[in-house]
Amino acid sequence: MTPPPARRQRTGAYGAAAPAHNFPRRGAVRRAQVITTYGVGSLIAVDHESFIVSGLDEAEQSWNRDESPRIHERRLARVLEVDSFRLPPASDDTSKDGLRVRRFPLMHFCPECNDLQRHRDFNPPAGRSVCGTCEVDLVPSRFVVACEAGHLGEFPYRQWLHRSTDRGAARAAQCGGKLKMRTSGRTSSLRSILVSCTCGQVPEVSMEGSFRRNALKDLGLRCQGTQPWLGASVPVQGCGLALRTLQRGSSALWQPVLKSALSIPPWSDGRSDPLAEHWAALREYDAREQVEIYLKGAFGGNCPVPLDEVMALLDAEREEDLDGESDRTFDHRYLALRNKEYERLRAGNEESDHSHDEQFVCEAPLGDRSVLDPLGVTGPMQVKKLREVRALKAFTRLVDAESTTDSKEMPLSERPLRWLPAMEVRGEGVFLRLDEDRLAAWEKSVAVAARIERMRTAHQRVLAQRAGDPSRVVPSPATPRMVLLHTLAHILINEWSLEAGYPAAALRERLYAADDMAGVLVYTATSDSAGSLGGLVAQGEPATLGRTLRSAVRRAEWCSSDPLCMETEASGAGGINLAACHACVMLPETSCEHNNILLDRALLVGTPHDPRLGYFEGVLRQ
């Protein structure tokens, strides 16, 4: 039977099996999903078929440049060492191309004749995924293999089946039989999935045990470095790492490495965008006359940016370089990016002083900010306009994208690109800081340090397990102020979802937690109508913010899962949280920067046995 055609959507990026002039469209995803869920190297299911999103540097480009608008965020581009970013291809009535994909896995199973073989060996009619003999829909292999370096491959069914024989791998290579797969129907476990071979040399075996960590290693199988998203033209180089069996829909199969930045002055008015591809050359010149000569040659004497502005932007870049000259690692440069945002959020940026094109407007509220002093909160700011760019830097498999090193990240292309996929979102927010003196005194508490050490130790243990190599373990970011700010952001988002009418998934946190930073920005950054309605900015007025904080802290004092939630020794995956669960402080994944880990509401309100543990303990007595 012919599958129904995919419905057209006007706000998405289409997937196609290859260039659009030869192959039909197979489905649609939203633009944001191409960055967060279905990026390069990920698997995407369309009806009963499975595909892998193609890389960005094939002989024919995966993305049609005409359908991928260029966006700019100079500060983030400098950190990621690219010139600019591109939005994923979007669909409309004039779209000629889309997001290109390749069929993967190639191994398929026919539920009628039970054949298990490559898709092309079924001789399906053009444009259809059916068995050429039985005329029933083929089922893609449920199982694939991957390594921690990011490579992906087909599950070795033939070697798995022949493992019981002497020299199983060699015997499997010589076997000329046809593989069969069936399900016994007795249970829903792997024991009921049975694989056999018409060669008759081995008995039928089940898939039970194939997910053991060393299951494939015991067969003498190692990663061959296959990268199916880059196409057959990319040479396969042996990797040698251990292979793990995964289900095709596993979340561990693809995790994006996302980096983001807020657009702040002097880059937030968009006037510097025409110079995006020229900054590397301009930075080589120190003298004004040299810069002027270069601009005349590059733009034919018609530079869209005044020379004075160009010199001011170059000075701003060099100032940031001086801040990071002692350590130029990526993590340091990314932290410096956050530092600049924190300084700008503290200083503010009056709307009346800038043009209509300004994308960052941050003002101090008109009310009396001293009403927040008893709460230990200071410096509230109303961010009336903001723009955030989120870029897809790379992706990982099997390892947590937030706890990996560069060696574990798989790039989006075989050759370095001067651009990366990204999305931009606009919204509004509220920024607040904690009182440094009160925070410093609270951090010295022995009880606070003991709780944080339990969380840090658990997190470090999880990171070590995921890293594999102890020498490459990323240190846990758990500190008293980081966990405090993180939990505070969560209870504020939950409170504003009730008070201001925003869904929690439409709000997002941005933490500024370091030795010289103690702030949190809660903002809307979505592409729908909930982005900039003014309702969140209104919550930044000191009187309103004070009432919200008191209500949020009192609400966090009790959880419907207490006393179990408050008294637990560890909670969450790996025991990384303490007093935190889905009934009290956890948020939708889109709202949290740290995947709902490193949370503890006891640091806000204390415990029944030690109320002074909480930073806001005094609020509960008011």
Side-chain angles (χ1 to χ4, degrees), residues 81-162:
E81 299 180 344
V82 296
D83 293 331
S84 61
F85 306 97
R86 286 189 179 273
L87 295 174
S91 62
D92 54 33
D93 292 336
T94 61
S95 176
K96 297 180 180 179
D97 210 336
L99 186 69
R100 301 183 190 175
V101 299
R102 298 174 178 274
R103 190 179 299 280
F104 188 86
L106 298 180
M107 294 296 289
H108 281 62
F109 156 67
C110 175
E112 184 70 23
C113 62
N114 294 336
D115 282 353
L116 175 64
Q117 58 190 359
R118 295 171 71 88
H119 183 271
R120 66 188 180 192
D121 294 334
F122 284 99
N123 296 318
R128 299 179 61 189
S129 182
V130 299
C131 178
T133 303
C134 307
E135 288 290 325
V136 298
D137 292 336
L138 296 175
V139 180
S141 169
R142 281 179 54 186
F143 311 106
V144 296
V145 295
C147 77
E148 291 187 351
H151 301 117
L152 184 68
E154 304 275 353
F155 182 82
Y157 288 102
R158 196 171 294 274
Q159 288 87 343
W160 177 256
L161 175 61
H162 290 79

Side-chain angles (χ1 to χ4, degrees), residues 2 73 103 117 171 206 235 245 294 305 375 394 433 524 594 614:
T2 303
E73 171 43 53
R103 190 179 299 280
Q117 58 190 359
R171 182 67 60 86
S206 75
T245 303
Y294 175 84
V305 184
L375 299 176
R433 294 181 288 121
T524 66
H594 296 283

